[in-house]
Every structure is written in structure tokens, then in C-alpha cells.
Amino acid sequence: MTAATTTQEKALTINIDGQYLKAPSGSSILEAAQAAGIHIPTLCHHPRLSVVGSCRVCMVAVEGIKGLVPSCATPIHDGMVVRTDTPEVLAERKMAVELLLSTHPLNCEDCDSNGRCELQSLAVELGVNTPRFPRDKERKPVDERHPFILYDPNKCILCGRCVRACREIAVNDVWAISGRGKSSAISTFFNGSLESVGCLSCGECISVCPTRALTEKPEFSILPSNELKITRTICPWCGVGCTIELHTEGNRVVKVTSPPDAPINKGSLCVKGRYGYQFINHPSRLTRPLVRTRPKGIGAYDEDTWQADFREASWDEALDIVAKRLLEIKDKSGSESLAVISSAKCTNEDNYVMQRFARDVMGNNNIDHCARLCHASTVVGAMAAFGSGAMTVSYTHLTLPTN
């Protein structure tokens, strides 16, 4: 039996809004609908996260089942008949949104999330203007204790995406839903600061938040603009090869994100990849080679006046000086007095050329690499667990238990 035959046998036929379609066995109604291009709105659902079915926005009617069911949590069966647009379904969705808006700020035009809020978009889609339910006017303080991340509990709809993203993607389990009823809130252990409870500052929670209750602080959060250019590239910080998108204004990088379809990281980034881009436009960044004009060790180092000890030079002049000094040291003290250090921020080709330079030009094996220290522990662990210091599968092949 071929793989194609097995797949075909597992395909089930269902009817959604009068349209017959096939979907793999084990799919939810929502997954089958999305694969067929049928729109079912969601809030708590995210394709990279486990299913909770808490927002009740994706409710649908299924023939033979009393009441409505959440499409994200209901598996399909052969011959299933589903309706996504009955008056009862639309009324249920509208009420769910109205209940959320009763505790949500309604100043959309003045909100920095205007145009980027899934709740706002859903309210427009369902025609919700003014909620029927009494407004909860209590306003909670915004948590600004983290250097990058800002949490506004007034915008939070308790969808739990951030909790699941931290637990299932970042595997850190910093966020949780505490309290009961009206007092329910997203919080950390004993409401401590994110840094105090071990937050990795990866921003995974921000990337999945539907209302931007979790967002970057203003210096890291640039509003959408037609003048911003988005360039897809590779993160320069390590050798994993995460795909990033640079948001640039002119020649200045103002924000870094990662697309969900990134082949390696699927939209996830570490703290360096997401927030460590200030060095690109930092005024202290070197753009041309510098040649020392005053002997090293004379005078105290001052971060504001260190430039006085150097002068700018062309690349040709700088390379000539380096080559001359290396030859002088080699002739005087021998080749073993020379060594080079390479970096994981360089390409594999650059590192290869560097070791050839050490062995063929300098005449020794004195070459080291920064990864020997930072990566040594993972090599030992991988050797003990898998028999190899290098992984033989991609990141997407690694799965975690769900319980």
C-alpha cells in the first residue's frame, strides 16, 4: 500500500455551507474550513498553539448536534454537515464579542493598536458598534517593569495565547491566568516582574497577542507606515539561520519581526534577534578602519574621548599595517606566537578562510572560535543523548509532550 493510498483512505468528506470538501481524518472543523478557504472568525485560536476553545467566536452549527459547537475543538467525521452563517451562529458570535468589549477600552481611534487589533476587526466584521452590556469602567495599571515588554491588562481578553506560547513554544511557562471570574488576569508567579520569574525576553507572547495587550515599549514599537520598507533577511546573531524582517525608515532599522512562514523559526525569535538591533545605527559603530595614533596604555580610557587615540584609514592602509605587524611578530618570535579567533557571526565560508589563513599563512594551528565556549555544553549534552554533537533533524521535527 502506497503512502498516497493511505492518505486517500484517511480523507473524509464533509459539507460546509453547502460545499462538499475532503479533509484528513483528525482535522477540526476550523482546519477543514480554512483549508477550503471558508472563513470562520477566531480569537483564542492560533495555528502554532494547542486548542482551548475559550473565546466562543468560532461557533458553528452541526447537523445532528444540539446547540452550537466550537469549530476549533470539534473533529470532523465522514458525512458531517456544518453551517457557519446561520442567524443563530452569527448572534452567538456577536454576543461573545459584545461581552469582550464590555470590559475593553473603546477608544480605538486613539489606541496605538488601531488597525492591528483582531478584536477591533472582528467587531467591524460582525457589525458591533456599541455593546449592549453594562460597561466595566475600572481601569487597571499598565505594567512597564520590563525593559522591552509592556502589558496593558485593560486590553487583555484572556484568550490565553500568551500563556500557551510561553509554555509550548518558548517552553518557559512564565505567564499564567490567575484569579477567578471578574478578577481573572494574565499574571506571573506572585505577580512578580517578568525578569524576576525568568522571562527570556523573546517576545513570543507579543507576537501572538490578538489585541496588543502585550506589546513592545514605544521605543521598540513603530506604528505601521507606508514609508516603512520591509526586507526579509537572516538574523546575524548566531548560526541557527532564523528568518527576520527588517522594518526600515530610510537607512535606519526601526523594528525587527519574523514572518510566520519562516522555514527555520516559524516566526519565533530570541531576545537578541527581536530587540538586539540598535547596534546597526548606533553612533559608536565603526564604519571605517581605525589606526591607533597613541601607544596603548598611555592615558585612561574614556568612552567619550577614545576617538582621539585613533584616526580613520582606508582598508588598503589598514590591511597593509596588519600584514606588516604580523610578519614582524612572526620573524621575531616565530609562527607559534600568532593566533586568530573566529566568530559564529561570520559565514561558514569566512570561518573556513580564517582557518586556512592560520594554517597556510601563519604556519600554525592556533585558531579558536567563540562557539567553543558557548556551544561546548550543548555539544556534550547532544553527544550523550544522541551520539552526535550536531543535530540531524530540523527544529520543526522537535515536538514536546502535550501533558
Side-chain angles (χ1 to χ4, degrees):
M1 182 180 295
T2 65
T5 303
T6 303
T7 303
Q8 185 66 25
E9 287 180 351
K10 291 183 178 179
L12 304 178
T13 301
I14 62 173
N15 183 311
I16 301 182
D17 295 337
Q19 177 180 341
Y20 285 95
L21 54 96
K22 289 186 177 294
S25 175
S27 301
S28 67
I29 296 174
L30 178 63
E31 291 170 335
Q34 290 176 336
I38 300 173
H39 173 64
I40 298 178
T42 63
L43 275 177
C44 68
H45 180 267
H46 192 280
R48 297 186 66 197
L49 304 176
S50 59
V51 175
V52 293
S54 62
C55 70
R56 318 310 282 179
V57 168
C58 69
M59 305 296 282
V60 295
V62 177
E63 188 176 283
I65 298 180
K66 184 178 180 180
L68 305 180
V69 298
S71 62
C72 66
T74 305
I76 63 171
H77 60 76
D78 203 38
M80 175 183 276
V81 178
V82 181
R83 290 295 304 275
T84 70
D85 56 357
T86 67
E88 183 185 10
V89 167
L90 297 178
E92 181 80 7
R93 293 176 184 168
K94 186 173 182 178
M95 184 175 69
V97 172
E98 287 178 311
L99 285 170
L100 291 173
L101 289 176
S102 67
T103 60
H104 194 83
L106 298 181
N107 58 332
C108 293
E109 293 183 359
D110 300 326
C111 179
D112 61 3
S113 302
N114 187 22
R116 295 183 289 174
C117 174
E118 294 181 32
L119 180 60
Q120 178 191 32
S121 300
L122 190 53
V124 172
E125 176 186 334
L126 296 175
V128 178
N129 297 316
T130 303
R132 293 174 291 166
F133 304 103
R135 297 275 302 149
D136 182 359
K137 298 182 179 181
E138 179 187 358
R139 286 295 169 259
K140 302 171 184 177
V142 177
D143 189 345
E144 302 182 64
R145 292 176 290 178
H146 193 275
F148 309 136
I149 300 172
L150 183 149
Y151 171 51
D152 186 350
N154 303 296
K155 297 180 182 179
C156 181
I157 60 173
L158 296 176
C159 65
R161 280 192 191 178
C162 58
V163 177
R164 286 173 283 149
C166 191
R167 177 180 301 143
E168 299 168 11
I169 301 177
V171 197
N172 204 33
D173 221 2
V174 164
W175 291 111
I177 298 180
S178 64
R180 294 291 184 272
K182 182 182 176 181
S183 300
S184 298
I186 301 294
S187 68
T188 59
F189 186 66
F190 283 120
N191 202 31
S193 67
L194 285 171
E195 291 178 293
S196 70
V197 295
C199 174
L200 301 175
S201 303
C202 64
E204 196 69 55
C205 53
I206 293 176
S207 68
V208 300
C209 182
T211 61
R212 291 180 59 81
L214 280 162
T215 185
E216 296 95 349
K217 285 191 172 180
E219 57 266 37
F220 295 95
S221 181
I222 306 298
L223 298 181
S225 169
N226 293 330
E227 298 179 0
L228 291 183
K229 179 183 177 181
I230 299 178
T231 304
R232 184 173 290 202
T233 184
I234 302 299
C235 179
W237 280 107
C238 74
V240 171
C242 294
T243 301
I244 60 174
E245 290 183 337
L246 299 179
H247 300 243
T248 54
E249 187 176 27
N251 198 33
R252 186 171 66 94
V253 176
V254 295
K255 186 179 179 68
V256 174
T257 58
S258 181
D261 61 346
I264 300 296
N265 53 311
K266 304 299 182 184
S268 298
L269 291 173
C270 70
V271 59
K272 288 184 178 181
R274 195 180 298 274
Y275 301 115
Y277 59 86
Q278 287 77 11
F279 72 91
I280 300 173
N281 302 111
H282 197 280
S284 296
R285 183 182 181 186
L286 299 182
T287 57
R288 297 189 62 182
L290 299 180
V291 175
R292 184 180 291 276
T293 58
R294 186 168 61 171
K296 185 177 181 181
I298 299 179
Y301 169 79
D302 190 316
E303 63 180 10
D304 297 323
T305 62
W306 65 268
Q307 293 92 336
D309 295 345
F310 297 86
R311 64 173 177 83
E312 289 189 348
S314 66
W315 278 105
D316 287 340
E317 180 188 3
L319 291 172
D320 286 342
I321 292 174
V322 171
K324 179 181 177 181
R325 288 291 295 130
L326 288 176
L327 285 173
E328 289 175 353
I329 295 172
K330 182 178 180 180
D331 292 340
K332 180 181 179 180
S333 306
S335 63
E336 289 300 323
S337 62
L338 299 173
V340 295
I341 298 179
S342 192
S343 172
K345 295 180 184 178
C346 299
T347 63
N348 289 338
E349 293 77 10
D350 288 336
N351 283 310
Y352 173 77
V353 170
M354 183 62 79
Q355 64 88 22
R356 287 295 301 270
F357 174 77
R359 293 181 169 90
D360 295 345
V361 178
M362 295 196 313
N364 61 47
N365 294 320
N366 299 338
I367 181 169
D368 206 348
H369 194 281
C370 63
R372 183 177 64 83
L373 297 178
C374 64
H375 185 46
S377 58
T378 58
V379 170
V380 173
M383 284 288 291
F386 308 112
S388 171
M391 298 307 296
T392 57
V393 296
S394 67
Y395 176 79
T396 54
H397 285 84
L398 301 177
T399 58
L400 296 172
T402 57
N403 51 28

